[in-house]
Amino acid sequence: MHNFETETMQAPPTGLRERSKTDKRKRIIEAARAVFIEHGYEAATTREIATRADVSTGTVFVYAKDKRDLLLQVVNDELDVVNLKGQALLERPGSLRERLLPYFELRYRYWASEPRLARPALRETSEFLTPDANQGEEAHRFYARRPVILGHIEQIVRAAQESEEALDDVPADQIASLIFSLYLIEVRRWLNDEPPRLAKGMERLSAVLGLFVRGILSPGNEWCRLSESN
C-alpha cells in the first residue's frame, strides 16, 4: 500500500536539500576549475570534471548546460569578488591616474593569476560590443557586470571633473565608455603574452590611458577646431 505519510516523513527538509545542492555545485565548480587549469580548457572533459567532483556526468549538466557554462561559472564567481574589491576603492582620494590604475590592477591581477582560465574565458566572451542574446544565463551574468564597471569608472571620472582635474565639457559616461574599451582591448592583447606579467600589462595600460587623457592633437589641429565649433 502506498504510504504517502511515511514518504513525507522521510523526505529531507528543504534546508537540507538546498545545502546538498549548494555543496554539489561547489564541488563541481571547484573540480571544473582544477581540470581546466591542469589540462587546459579545450582538453578538459565534463566526464573528468564529474569524476573529480564525485558526481555523475548527468548531475554536472543539471548545474551547467555545457563546458563553456562551467568555465563562465568559475570566472563569474571569482569576478564578483573582484568587483566588490573594486567598489571599495571608489571612495579613495587621489588623481585620475591614482584611482583608475589600482581599479584596473585588481582585474589584471586576477587574469594574471591563472591564464588557463583567463584566456578561454575572454575568448568565449569576445562579443563585448554585441553579445549574443542566446548565449545562456552565465554569459548574461558575465555581460551584466559591464554596466557596473562602467558605473565605477564613470564615478572616478566625475570626481576628476568635479575637482577640475578633467574638463567637464564631455559627459563622464562617454569618457568612461572609452576608457573601458581601451581596457578591453589591452587586457586581451596582454593575455597573449607568455606568461602575462602583471607589471608589464599595467605599464602598457598606464601608457595607453595616459595617451588617451593627454590627447595626441595640437590645439590648432583641424579636428580640434571642428570640435570646438560643434
Side-chain angles (χ1 to χ4, degrees), residues 129-170:
L129 293 178
T130 54
D132 186 345
N134 299 315
Q135 287 181 325
E137 181 180 342
E138 289 300 320
H140 286 298
R141 184 179 163 203
F142 185 91
Y143 289 118
R145 198 174 288 106
R146 181 174 61 185
V148 176
I149 298 170
L150 284 169
H152 291 170
I153 301 170
E154 182 180 344
Q155 184 174 333
I156 294 172
V157 171
R158 187 174 291 110
Q161 290 177 325
E162 290 172 353
S163 68
E164 299 185 349
E165 179 189 3
L167 297 175
D168 61 2
D169 59 343
V170 178

Short mmCIF file of all heavy atoms in Angstrom, two decimals, residues 129-170:
data_model
loop_
_atom_site.label_atom_id
_atom_site.label_comp_id
_atom_site.label_asym_id
_atom_site.label_seq_id
_atom_site.Cartn_x
_atom_site.Cartn_y
_atom_site.Cartn_z
N LEU A 129 30.95 43.98 -27.57
CA LEU A 129 30.14 45.09 -28.07
C LEU A 129 28.73 44.65 -28.42
O LEU A 129 27.76 45.36 -28.17
CB LEU A 129 30.82 45.72 -29.30
CG LEU A 129 32.14 46.44 -29.04
CD1 LEU A 129 32.71 46.98 -30.35
CD2 LEU A 129 31.96 47.58 -28.04
N THR A 130 28.61 43.46 -29.01
CA THR A 130 27.29 42.96 -29.41
C THR A 130 27.14 41.51 -28.94
O THR A 130 27.21 40.58 -29.74
CB THR A 130 27.11 43.03 -30.94
OG1 THR A 130 28.21 42.34 -31.58
CG2 THR A 130 27.07 44.46 -31.41
N PRO A 131 26.95 41.28 -27.63
CA PRO A 131 26.79 39.92 -27.13
C PRO A 131 25.59 39.22 -27.72
O PRO A 131 24.57 39.84 -27.99
CB PRO A 131 26.64 40.12 -25.61
CG PRO A 131 26.19 41.53 -25.46
CD PRO A 131 26.82 42.29 -26.59
N ASP A 132 25.72 37.92 -27.91
CA ASP A 132 24.65 37.09 -28.46
C ASP A 132 23.59 36.86 -27.39
O ASP A 132 23.88 36.43 -26.28
CB ASP A 132 25.24 35.75 -28.92
CG ASP A 132 24.22 34.89 -29.63
OD1 ASP A 132 23.02 35.17 -29.53
OD2 ASP A 132 24.64 33.91 -30.28
N ALA A 133 22.35 37.14 -27.74
CA ALA A 133 21.25 37.01 -26.77
C ALA A 133 20.99 35.56 -26.39
O ALA A 133 20.32 35.28 -25.40
CB ALA A 133 19.99 37.64 -27.33
N ASN A 134 21.51 34.60 -27.17
CA ASN A 134 21.23 33.19 -26.91
C ASN A 134 22.38 32.46 -26.22
O ASN A 134 22.45 31.24 -26.25
CB ASN A 134 20.92 32.48 -28.25
CG ASN A 134 19.70 33.08 -28.93
OD1 ASN A 134 18.68 33.32 -28.30
ND2 ASN A 134 19.81 33.32 -30.23
N GLN A 135 23.27 33.19 -25.61
CA GLN A 135 24.47 32.56 -25.04
C GLN A 135 24.24 31.89 -23.70
O GLN A 135 25.07 31.14 -23.24
CB GLN A 135 25.59 33.60 -24.91
CG GLN A 135 26.19 33.98 -26.25
CD GLN A 135 27.30 34.98 -26.08
OE1 GLN A 135 27.25 35.84 -25.22
NE2 GLN A 135 28.31 34.88 -26.91
N GLY A 136 23.16 32.15 -23.03
CA GLY A 136 22.89 31.48 -21.78
C GLY A 136 23.03 32.37 -20.56
O GLY A 136 23.54 33.48 -20.63
N GLU A 137 22.57 31.82 -19.43
CA GLU A 137 22.50 32.60 -18.19
C GLU A 137 23.86 33.07 -17.72
O GLU A 137 24.01 34.22 -17.29
CB GLU A 137 21.85 31.74 -17.10
CG GLU A 137 21.69 32.45 -15.77
CD GLU A 137 21.03 31.57 -14.72
OE1 GLU A 137 20.40 30.57 -15.11
OE2 GLU A 137 21.17 31.89 -13.53
N GLU A 138 24.87 32.20 -17.75
CA GLU A 138 26.19 32.60 -17.25
C GLU A 138 26.84 33.65 -18.13
O GLU A 138 27.54 34.54 -17.63
CB GLU A 138 27.10 31.38 -17.11
CG GLU A 138 26.72 30.46 -15.97
CD GLU A 138 26.76 31.14 -14.60
OE1 GLU A 138 27.68 31.93 -14.35
OE2 GLU A 138 25.87 30.85 -13.79
N ALA A 139 26.61 33.57 -19.45
CA ALA A 139 27.13 34.62 -20.34
C ALA A 139 26.45 35.95 -20.04
O ALA A 139 27.09 37.00 -19.99
CB ALA A 139 26.92 34.23 -21.79
N HIS A 140 25.14 35.90 -19.81
CA HIS A 140 24.41 37.13 -19.45
C HIS A 140 24.93 37.69 -18.13
O HIS A 140 25.04 38.90 -17.96
CB HIS A 140 22.91 36.86 -19.37
CG HIS A 140 22.26 36.70 -20.72
ND1 HIS A 140 22.23 37.71 -21.66
CD2 HIS A 140 21.63 35.64 -21.28
CE1 HIS A 140 21.60 37.28 -22.74
NE2 HIS A 140 21.24 36.03 -22.54
N ARG A 141 25.24 36.79 -17.22
CA ARG A 141 25.79 37.22 -15.93
C ARG A 141 27.15 37.91 -16.14
O ARG A 141 27.45 38.91 -15.48
CB ARG A 141 25.93 36.00 -15.02
CG ARG A 141 26.40 36.30 -13.62
CD ARG A 141 26.46 35.02 -12.81
NE ARG A 141 27.28 35.17 -11.62
CZ ARG A 141 27.86 34.18 -10.99
NH1 ARG A 141 27.72 32.94 -11.43
NH2 ARG A 141 28.59 34.39 -9.91
N PHE A 142 27.95 37.36 -17.04
CA PHE A 142 29.25 37.96 -17.33
C PHE A 142 29.07 39.36 -17.92
O PHE A 142 29.69 40.32 -17.48
CB PHE A 142 30.02 37.08 -18.32
CG PHE A 142 31.42 37.54 -18.59
CD1 PHE A 142 32.48 37.08 -17.83
CD2 PHE A 142 31.69 38.44 -19.61
CE1 PHE A 142 33.78 37.51 -18.08
CE2 PHE A 142 32.97 38.88 -19.87
CZ PHE A 142 34.01 38.41 -19.11
N TYR A 143 28.19 39.49 -18.91
CA TYR A 143 27.99 40.78 -19.57
C TYR A 143 27.26 41.77 -18.67
O TYR A 143 27.41 42.98 -18.82
CB TYR A 143 27.23 40.59 -20.88
CG TYR A 143 28.06 39.92 -21.95
CD1 TYR A 143 27.67 38.68 -22.48
CD2 TYR A 143 29.22 40.51 -22.43
CE1 TYR A 143 28.44 38.06 -23.46
CE2 TYR A 143 29.99 39.88 -23.41
CZ TYR A 143 29.59 38.67 -23.91
OH TYR A 143 30.35 38.05 -24.88
N ALA A 144 26.45 41.27 -17.73
CA ALA A 144 25.74 42.16 -16.82
C ALA A 144 26.70 42.92 -15.91
O ALA A 144 26.34 43.95 -15.34
CB ALA A 144 24.74 41.37 -15.98
N ARG A 145 27.92 42.42 -15.79
CA ARG A 145 28.92 43.10 -14.97
C ARG A 145 29.43 44.36 -15.66
O ARG A 145 29.94 45.27 -15.00
CB ARG A 145 30.08 42.13 -14.70
CG ARG A 145 30.98 42.51 -13.54
CD ARG A 145 32.00 41.43 -13.25
NE ARG A 145 31.37 40.26 -12.65
CZ ARG A 145 31.17 39.12 -13.29
NH1 ARG A 145 31.55 38.98 -14.55
NH2 ARG A 145 30.58 38.11 -12.69
N ARG A 146 29.29 44.44 -16.98
CA ARG A 146 29.83 45.58 -17.73
C ARG A 146 29.26 46.92 -17.30
O ARG A 146 30.03 47.85 -17.03
CB ARG A 146 29.62 45.35 -19.24
CG ARG A 146 30.19 46.48 -20.10
CD ARG A 146 30.08 46.13 -21.57
NE ARG A 146 28.69 45.94 -21.98
CZ ARG A 146 28.33 45.53 -23.18
NH1 ARG A 146 29.24 45.25 -24.09
NH2 ARG A 146 27.05 45.41 -23.49
N PRO A 147 27.92 47.07 -17.21
CA PRO A 147 27.41 48.37 -16.76
C PRO A 147 27.83 48.73 -15.34
O PRO A 147 27.95 49.92 -15.01
CB PRO A 147 25.89 48.22 -16.87
CG PRO A 147 25.63 46.77 -16.98
CD PRO A 147 26.83 46.17 -17.61
N VAL A 148 28.07 47.73 -14.52
CA VAL A 148 28.55 48.00 -13.16
C VAL A 148 29.95 48.61 -13.22
O VAL A 148 30.25 49.62 -12.56
CB VAL A 148 28.56 46.71 -12.31
CG1 VAL A 148 29.16 46.98 -10.93
CG2 VAL A 148 27.15 46.16 -12.18
N ILE A 149 30.82 48.00 -14.04
CA ILE A 149 32.19 48.51 -14.19
C ILE A 149 32.16 49.91 -14.80
O ILE A 149 32.88 50.82 -14.35
CB ILE A 149 33.03 47.56 -15.06
CG1 ILE A 149 33.14 46.18 -14.40
CG2 ILE A 149 34.42 48.13 -15.30
CD1 ILE A 149 33.74 45.12 -15.29
N LEU A 150 31.33 50.09 -15.81
CA LEU A 150 31.21 51.42 -16.42
C LEU A 150 30.77 52.45 -15.39
O LEU A 150 31.25 53.59 -15.39
CB LEU A 150 30.22 51.37 -17.59
CG LEU A 150 30.73 50.74 -18.88
CD1 LEU A 150 29.58 50.51 -19.85
CD2 LEU A 150 31.79 51.63 -19.53
N GLY A 151 29.86 52.07 -14.52
CA GLY A 151 29.42 52.98 -13.48
C GLY A 151 30.55 53.34 -12.53
O GLY A 151 30.66 54.50 -12.10
N HIS A 152 31.38 52.36 -12.19
CA HIS A 152 32.53 52.63 -11.33
C HIS A 152 33.49 53.63 -11.99
O HIS A 152 33.95 54.59 -11.35
CB HIS A 152 33.27 51.34 -11.03
CG HIS A 152 32.52 50.39 -10.14
ND1 HIS A 152 32.93 49.10 -9.92
CD2 HIS A 152 31.39 50.56 -9.41
CE1 HIS A 152 32.09 48.51 -9.09
NE2 HIS A 152 31.14 49.37 -8.77
N ILE A 153 33.80 53.37 -13.27
CA ILE A 153 34.73 54.26 -13.98
C ILE A 153 34.14 55.65 -14.12
O ILE A 153 34.83 56.66 -13.94
CB ILE A 153 35.08 53.67 -15.37
CG1 ILE A 153 35.71 52.29 -15.23
CG2 ILE A 153 36.02 54.61 -16.12
CD1 ILE A 153 35.88 51.55 -16.55
N GLU A 154 32.86 55.70 -14.40
CA GLU A 154 32.19 57.00 -14.52
C GLU A 154 32.28 57.78 -13.21
O GLU A 154 32.49 59.00 -13.22
CB GLU A 154 30.73 56.80 -14.91
CG GLU A 154 29.97 58.10 -15.11
CD GLU A 154 28.52 57.87 -15.50
OE1 GLU A 154 28.18 56.74 -15.91
OE2 GLU A 154 27.72 58.83 -15.39
N GLN A 155 32.15 57.09 -12.10
CA GLN A 155 32.25 57.75 -10.79
C GLN A 155 33.65 58.34 -10.60
O GLN A 155 33.80 59.46 -10.08
CB GLN A 155 31.95 56.75 -9.68
CG GLN A 155 31.93 57.35 -8.28
CD GLN A 155 31.48 56.36 -7.23
OE1 GLN A 155 30.73 55.41 -7.52
NE2 GLN A 155 31.93 56.55 -6.00
N ILE A 156 34.67 57.61 -11.03
CA ILE A 156 36.04 58.11 -10.91
C ILE A 156 36.25 59.33 -11.81
O ILE A 156 36.85 60.33 -11.42
CB ILE A 156 37.04 56.99 -11.27
CG1 ILE A 156 36.97 55.86 -10.23
CG2 ILE A 156 38.46 57.53 -11.37
CD1 ILE A 156 37.78 54.63 -10.59
N VAL A 157 35.73 59.24 -13.04
CA VAL A 157 35.87 60.35 -13.99
C VAL A 157 35.13 61.58 -13.48
O VAL A 157 35.65 62.70 -13.53
CB VAL A 157 35.34 59.95 -15.38
CG1 VAL A 157 35.26 61.16 -16.30
CG2 VAL A 157 36.23 58.87 -16.00
N ARG A 158 33.94 61.38 -12.97
CA ARG A 158 33.15 62.52 -12.49
C ARG A 158 33.86 63.22 -11.33
O ARG A 158 33.83 64.45 -11.22
CB ARG A 158 31.76 62.06 -12.07
CG ARG A 158 30.84 63.24 -11.72
CD ARG A 158 29.42 62.81 -11.43
NE ARG A 158 28.75 62.34 -12.64
CZ ARG A 158 28.43 61.07 -12.88
NH1 ARG A 158 28.74 60.14 -11.97
NH2 ARG A 158 27.84 60.72 -13.98
N ALA A 159 34.50 62.44 -10.47
CA ALA A 159 35.25 63.04 -9.36
C ALA A 159 36.39 63.89 -9.89
O ALA A 159 36.68 64.97 -9.35
CB ALA A 159 35.79 61.94 -8.44
N ALA A 160 37.04 63.44 -10.96
CA ALA A 160 38.12 64.22 -11.57
C ALA A 160 37.58 65.50 -12.19
O ALA A 160 38.24 66.55 -12.16
CB ALA A 160 38.85 63.38 -12.62
N GLN A 161 36.40 65.44 -12.76
CA GLN A 161 35.78 66.64 -13.32
C GLN A 161 35.38 67.63 -12.22
O GLN A 161 35.58 68.83 -12.35
CB GLN A 161 34.55 66.26 -14.15
CG GLN A 161 34.90 65.53 -15.44
CD GLN A 161 33.66 65.09 -16.21
OE1 GLN A 161 32.64 64.73 -15.62
NE2 GLN A 161 33.73 65.12 -17.54
N GLU A 162 34.84 67.10 -11.14
CA GLU A 162 34.42 67.97 -10.05
C GLU A 162 35.59 68.67 -9.38
O GLU A 162 35.46 69.79 -8.88
CB GLU A 162 33.62 67.16 -9.02
CG GLU A 162 32.26 66.72 -9.54
CD GLU A 162 31.56 65.75 -8.60
OE1 GLU A 162 32.19 65.33 -7.60
OE2 GLU A 162 30.39 65.41 -8.87
N SER A 163 36.75 67.99 -9.37
CA SER A 163 37.95 68.61 -8.79
C SER A 163 38.68 69.48 -9.81
O SER A 163 39.74 70.04 -9.50
CB SER A 163 38.90 67.53 -8.27
OG SER A 163 39.44 66.77 -9.36
N GLU A 164 38.14 69.58 -11.03
CA GLU A 164 38.70 70.36 -12.13
C GLU A 164 40.03 69.80 -12.64
O GLU A 164 40.77 70.48 -13.33
CB GLU A 164 38.86 71.83 -11.73
CG GLU A 164 37.53 72.49 -11.38
CD GLU A 164 37.67 73.98 -11.10
OE1 GLU A 164 38.81 74.47 -10.97
OE2 GLU A 164 36.63 74.66 -11.02
N GLU A 165 40.29 68.53 -12.30
CA GLU A 165 41.45 67.86 -12.91
C GLU A 165 41.15 67.55 -14.37
O GLU A 165 42.03 67.60 -15.22
CB GLU A 165 41.77 66.58 -12.15
CG GLU A 165 42.96 65.83 -12.75
CD GLU A 165 43.16 64.44 -12.14
OE1 GLU A 165 42.35 64.02 -11.29
OE2 GLU A 165 44.13 63.77 -12.54
N ALA A 166 39.90 67.21 -14.65
CA ALA A 166 39.48 66.89 -16.00
C ALA A 166 38.42 67.88 -16.46
O ALA A 166 37.63 68.38 -15.64
CB ALA A 166 38.91 65.47 -16.06
N LEU A 167 38.40 68.16 -17.75
CA LEU A 167 37.40 69.07 -18.31
C LEU A 167 36.02 68.44 -18.19
O LEU A 167 35.88 67.21 -18.26
CB LEU A 167 37.73 69.37 -19.77
CG LEU A 167 39.06 70.10 -20.04
CD1 LEU A 167 39.31 70.22 -21.53
CD2 LEU A 167 39.05 71.47 -19.38
N ASP A 168 35.01 69.28 -18.03
CA ASP A 168 33.66 68.75 -17.88
C ASP A 168 32.78 69.03 -19.09
O ASP A 168 31.55 68.98 -19.00
CB ASP A 168 33.01 69.33 -16.63
CG ASP A 168 32.89 70.85 -16.66
OD1 ASP A 168 33.27 71.46 -17.69
OD2 ASP A 168 32.41 71.43 -15.67
N ASP A 169 33.42 69.33 -20.25
CA ASP A 169 32.63 69.61 -21.45
C ASP A 169 32.27 68.33 -22.22
O ASP A 169 31.62 68.38 -23.25
CB ASP A 169 33.35 70.59 -22.38
CG ASP A 169 34.72 70.09 -22.81
OD1 ASP A 169 35.25 69.15 -22.17
OD2 ASP A 169 35.27 70.63 -23.79
N VAL A 170 32.72 67.18 -21.70
CA VAL A 170 32.35 65.88 -22.27
C VAL A 170 31.68 65.08 -21.16
O VAL A 170 32.20 65.03 -20.03
CB VAL A 170 33.58 65.12 -22.80
CG1 VAL A 170 33.16 63.75 -23.33
CG2 VAL A 170 34.28 65.91 -23.89
#
